[in-house]
Amino acid sequence: MSSLASTADGADSGPVTTSVGDRRDQKRDPRVPFGPPPLRRAGRKGEWLLAAGLLIPNLALLFVFVYRPLLDNIRLSFTDWNISSPQANYIGFANYVEWFGRDDTKTVFFNTAVFTIATVVLSMALGLALALLLDQKLKGRNLVRSVVFAPFVISGAAIGVAFQFVFDPSFGLIQDLLAKIGVASPDFYQKPGWALFMVTATYIWKNLGYSFVIYLAALQARRGDLDEAAEIDGASKWTHFRKVLLPQLRPTTFFLSITVLLSSVQVFDIIYAMTRGGPIGNGTMTLVFQVYHETFVNQRAGYGATVATVMFLILLVVTAVQVRFMDREQRA
């Protein structure tokens, strides 16, 4: 009782103290909202102007150099136009009917499919293998990395001319190596199958550095804790590669599958320098080379535009399927 009385007396006699936070709460107007002040209309307007200033030049360039030529190409595919003529005659779907009915269409489509599938699969597989090898601590690996990537930056026409001497059946490097083991060199310039193999191998050698560098960057950015966990669990190298490494490389693989595919379908310089679409029977004639041949050699720009439109539609469908497949895997 005495303690309570003394406490009460002290409370009555002494000043009442409040914290800084209590004084702020007492002075705060309840009508003032909490949090940062709302953005002003002038600030939002400035952001819109900045976004427009950054986007409009890029959209204008895309329209001028991508979408407008694409629309003009589709329009020309319905015409019969000699590239030197000032007037194009409208003929409807006659070019498309001719393309689907010609005997060489199957050969051209087959060459394009074989060349594209082989270059995409092999360049990505070999690029991943080299990236796994050169990601380890090896002597001189930086020099080897530079050597592997160097062909990618060299002109395709220059590589095509150089590899003509490599595959020459009379005095080429391949002929010399095969002669040492008593095997005759195939005639790469007279047989369509070997000619297609020649240009495919040349392009894989040139494009290998691109897949290698992309995979190497992905390997160096992978999660080290997952590797340590797999090692602690005693996972084998194959299990680690299949269960730990490949899932982390899935976005990179998807990116490469699209970019390498688009690049392979549009290869022109190597084919022109090495075979010019031959030999007999359009042995290395692909869709993109047919566009050039029909437009500038046969002087049928309307028909060449038809082939280009068909190639665009095929690439559009294939890319859409790839994107849909990747979305399903990510959701799963």
Side-chain angles (χ1 to χ4, degrees):
M1 295 294 294
S2 59
S3 61
L4 291 175
S6 61
T7 304
D9 294 340
D12 294 336
S13 59
V16 178
T17 60
T18 58
S19 64
V20 177
D22 295 337
R23 290 198 300 269
R24 290 179 179 176
D25 292 339
Q26 293 174 0
K27 295 180 181 180
R28 181 182 294 126
D29 188 350
R31 294 172 297 177
V32 178
F34 295 106
L39 295 176
R40 297 181 180 180
R41 293 183 177 180
R44 292 181 179 178
K45 185 178 180 181
E47 291 181 357
W48 280 105
L49 291 176
L50 177 61
L54 295 174
L55 290 175
I56 289 177
N58 294 279
L59 294 176
L61 291 175
L62 283 174
F63 176 78
V64 172
F65 294 104
V66 178
Y67 298 117
R68 185 175 179 275
L70 174 62
L71 295 176
D72 285 342
N73 180 82
I74 296 175
R75 178 182 60 84
L76 289 174
S77 67
F78 297 99
T79 64
D80 180 18
W81 180 44
N82 186 329
I83 194 171
S84 61
S85 175
Q87 185 178 0
N89 300 320
Y90 178 78
I91 57 174
F93 289 91
N95 287 328
Y96 292 92
V97 174
E98 180 183 354
W99 187 82
F100 283 101
R102 278 176 55 163
D103 295 335
D104 61 346
T105 298
K106 292 182 180 180
T107 303
V108 172
F109 188 81
F110 175 79
N111 293 340
T112 305
V114 171
F115 179 84
T116 303
I117 294 174
T119 52
V120 171
V121 174
L122 292 178
S123 63
M124 291 178 59
L126 294 175
L128 177 58
L130 285 174
L132 290 171
L133 176 63
L134 297 178
D135 188 45
Q136 303 177 13
K137 295 181 179 180
L138 301 173
K139 291 184 179 180
R141 66 175 183 177
N142 292 331
L143 176 61
V144 178
R145 289 175 180 177
S146 302
V147 171
V148 173
F149 183 73
F152 178 69
V153 299
I154 302 176
S155 169
I159 290 179
V161 172
F163 270 76
Q164 281 184 318
F165 299 97
V166 173
F167 288 98
D168 191 282
S170 300
F171 53 86
L173 177 62
I174 300 296
Q175 183 271 338
D176 186 49
L177 294 176
L178 292 177
K180 292 181 179 180
I181 59 176
V183 178
S185 174
D187 195 347
F188 294 102
Y189 291 98
Q190 294 297 327
K191 296 182 179 181
W194 284 111
L196 185 61
F197 168 81
M198 176 178 62
V199 296
T200 302
T202 303
Y203 181 75
I204 291 174
W205 183 83
K206 179 187 183 304
N207 202 54
L208 180 61
Y210 173 73
S211 301
F212 159 72
V213 167
I214 300 298
Y215 269 130
L216 182 63
L219 288 174
Q220 293 178 348
R222 71 182 186 272
R223 293 178 55 182
D225 56 340
L226 297 179
D227 297 336
E228 294 177 358
E231 184 178 356
I232 293 173
D233 292 340
S236 62
K237 292 184 178 180
W238 171 247
T239 303
H240 175 266
F241 174 77
R242 186 168 56 92
K243 296 291 186 179
V244 179
L245 189 58
L246 279 184
Q248 297 184 72
L249 297 178
R250 187 173 300 164
T252 304
T253 302
F254 172 68
F255 169 78
L256 282 174
S257 65
I258 292 181
T259 55
V260 177
L261 172 69
L262 297 177
S263 176
S264 299
V265 174
Q266 300 177 63
V267 172
F268 170 80
D269 45 9
I270 289 178
I271 297 176
Y272 182 83
M274 299 186 74
T275 63
R276 286 175 173 79
I280 302 171
N282 298 324
T284 58
M285 180 76 70
T286 59
L287 285 173
V288 69
F289 199 87
Q290 190 181 26
V291 173
Y292 158 79
H293 191 267
E294 294 292 341
T295 302
F296 298 102
V297 178
N298 295 339
Q299 297 291 312
R300 299 186 62 192
Y303 189 80
T306 301
V307 180
T309 303
V310 172
M311 185 175 66
F312 164 74
L313 294 176
I314 293 174
L315 289 176
L316 182 64
V317 172
V318 172
T319 305
V321 171
Q322 287 178 309
V323 173
R324 186 66 179 271
F325 178 76
M326 188 63 184
D327 288 342
R328 286 185 178 181
E329 283 198 347
Q330 288 180 349
R331 292 176 183 177

